[in-house]
Amino acid sequence: MGAYILRRLLLVIPTLLGIMIINFTLVQFVPGGPIEQIIARMEGAGDPLQNISGSTGGGTAATDAAGAGGTDERYVGARGLPPEFIEQLEREFGFDKPPVERFLTMMWNYLRFDFGESYFRSITVVDLVLEKMPVSISLGLWSTLIAYLISIPLGIRKAVRDGTPFDSWTSGLIIVGYAIPSFLFAVLLIVLFAGGSYWQIFPLRGLTSDNWDQLSLWGKVVDYFWHLVLPVAAITISSFATLTLLTKNSFLDEIRKLYVMTARAKGLSERRVLYGHVFRNAMLIVIAGFPGLFLSVFFSGALLIEWLFSLDGMGRLFYEAAVARDYPVLFGTLYLTALLGLLVNIISDLAYVWIDPRIDFESRET
């Protein structure tokens, strides 16, 4: 098993490198880079000195260059701005170097987990990610746990009572839940329970209340979960449907196998057959997928939910960085997402072995 894990870890390097190369290359052809963003802000706000100092978090040399005359035709909207000013911006952002050199420098820094500082915020990328993590961890962890706690018992029940009225009407509810997009269900919850048109039961914004610091420990716990009810419910609905059907089908496949018939013929109780023999084999694919499901919600699956409930998490951070062309934040979060995703795949394989020790990845060819 150790050799297999080592091979998988070594495979992470070229895979991660390929992901970064593809995305870095694509970005080079996307118009509206960070310099264009600053020029657009300056042209719209009318005070280039104040805007550039506020946008880049420094920009003293660039500010000094702004007093000269001239234009630069490389950037649309740069008419009236001095070429020296544009060149200084390029040096500050590192765009005076060839793309290959910029990429190699970026990857060398990323290998040392040095992700630099945001172009448009006076904060490092690491601090920015740590600032957004509580929201994403809360949404990802609780929605995934709730989905598993409901889906596994319900899926087992549906498999045992396959073809009965219970199976039929629960399948109908599951299909309806799967067909409703999470963001539409979130809007429905807001309208019904967050003061949209009917009841003001749950809070609409944020992860905690304004008086969080004045609350007792128990009050903080209640307030935290009270804020999570609606967004977690909106995220869980689609994964709940998928996991329930996956659990049911997995159990049905196992129940029809010969070893189950043999166990029943030996006189074992139905409960002993289900949970002593079938459960381990049937839950293999379901439980082993927990890390991947959590990671998908953690990084990107909750973007619209974060937006609707004014939650500032990783999904919203990545989206805003892409719109603003904040490349350190964009590529830093992409690097972390890809790296964690690859590591989670290895963890999933280890989960398979933990659930069923008969699985031997060592004998597989990679």
Side-chain angles (χ1 to χ4, degrees):
M1 190 65 183
Y4 171 77
I5 295 175
L6 180 60
R7 289 196 300 268
R8 290 294 303 271
L9 289 174
L10 292 176
L11 188 62
V12 166
I13 299 175
T15 306
L16 184 60
L17 183 62
I19 292 173
M20 297 303 296
I21 289 175
I22 292 173
N23 286 274
F24 185 86
T25 303
L26 292 175
V27 165
Q28 306 310 306
F29 298 98
V30 176
I35 295 181
E36 290 91 333
Q37 296 283 332
I38 292 178
I39 291 173
R41 294 185 185 186
M42 292 167 57
E43 292 291 331
D47 188 350
L49 304 188
Q50 182 178 357
N51 275 275
I52 188 61
S53 61
S55 298
T56 61
T60 303
T63 301
D64 295 337
T71 60
D72 194 319
E73 296 299 332
R74 289 172 296 175
Y75 299 99
V76 177
R79 299 180 181 86
L81 295 178
E84 294 84 358
F85 178 71
I86 303 298
E87 291 172 3
Q88 184 60 35
L89 277 179
E90 290 180 338
R91 285 193 293 271
E92 289 183 0
F93 286 111
F95 289 103
D96 58 326
K97 301 179 179 64
V100 175
E101 183 178 347
R102 298 203 312 270
F103 177 78
L104 293 177
T105 302
M106 180 185 73
M107 291 305 299
W108 170 246
N109 292 333
Y110 285 5
L111 288 175
R112 297 178 288 128
F113 290 94
D114 178 10
F115 299 101
E117 185 174 301
S118 169
Y119 282 160
F120 305 111
R121 312 183 194 186
S122 298
I123 184 173
T124 64
V125 174
V126 172
D127 290 338
L128 195 58
V129 170
L130 292 176
E131 180 184 306
K132 312 300 181 184
M133 270 192 175
V135 170
S136 295
I137 290 177
S138 297
L139 294 177
L141 178 62
W142 295 117
S143 62
T144 305
L145 284 176
I146 291 173
Y148 270 82
L149 289 175
I150 295 176
S151 299
I152 291 178
L154 180 59
I156 294 174
R157 186 73 171 171
K158 285 175 63 60
V160 173
R161 303 183 63 179
D162 182 43
T164 64
F166 172 83
D167 180 42
S168 300
W169 69 261
T170 53
S171 294
L173 291 178
I174 289 172
I175 292 173
V176 171
Y178 184 77
I180 300 176
S182 295
F183 73 93
L184 286 182
F185 188 59
V187 172
L188 177 63
L189 292 176
I190 291 173
V191 171
L192 292 177
F193 304 112
S197 297
Y198 295 91
W199 303 283
Q200 179 69 56
I201 300 177
F202 298 99
L204 178 60
R205 298 179 180 276
L207 198 60
T208 57
S209 299
D210 294 334
N211 62 336
W212 167 264
D213 295 331
Q214 285 74 44
L215 297 175
S216 63
L217 178 59
W218 175 247
K220 290 181 178 180
V221 172
V222 173
D223 182 74
Y224 168 75
F225 284 106
W226 201 243
H227 281 77
L228 282 176
V229 169
L230 296 187
V232 169
I235 294 175
T236 306
I237 184 171
S238 59
S239 57
F240 157 76
T242 303
L243 281 173
T244 302
L245 293 178
L246 179 62
T247 303
K248 175 193 174 182
N249 293 332
S250 181
F251 256 79
L252 284 177
D253 289 342
E254 293 296 324
I255 288 174
R256 295 164 180 166
K257 289 184 178 179
L258 182 61
Y259 76 90
V260 176
M261 299 174 60
T262 303
R264 286 171 174 166
K266 290 181 178 180
L268 296 179
S269 65
E270 191 66 19
R271 184 178 182 83
R272 180 72 181 276
V273 172
L274 285 177
Y275 295 99
H277 293 76
V278 177
F279 185 83
R280 172 179 291 183
N281 296 327
M283 287 295 97
L284 184 61
I285 188 173
V286 177
I287 298 178
F290 180 92
L293 179 60
F294 167 71
L295 192 66
S296 65
V297 177
F298 181 86
F299 278 104
S300 59
L303 170 59
L304 292 175
I305 305 302
E306 290 177 11
W307 199 275
L308 287 171
F309 291 98
S310 299
L311 297 172
D312 203 4
M314 291 294 297
R316 189 169 179 176
L317 173 65
F318 188 84
Y319 170 76
E320 291 178 347
V323 172
R325 305 296 194 270
D326 195 346
Y327 292 157
V329 178
L330 181 65
F331 287 119
T333 53
L334 175 64
Y335 181 88
L336 289 174
T337 304
L339 178 61
L340 287 176
L342 293 170
L343 294 178
V344 161
N345 287 334
I346 300 177
I347 294 175
S348 296
D349 286 349
L350 296 179
Y352 279 112
V353 177
W354 176 70
I355 296 171
D356 190 351
R358 296 172 298 175
I359 296 177
D360 182 17
F361 285 108
E362 196 68 45
S363 60
R364 290 174 49 186
E365 294 183 2
T366 59

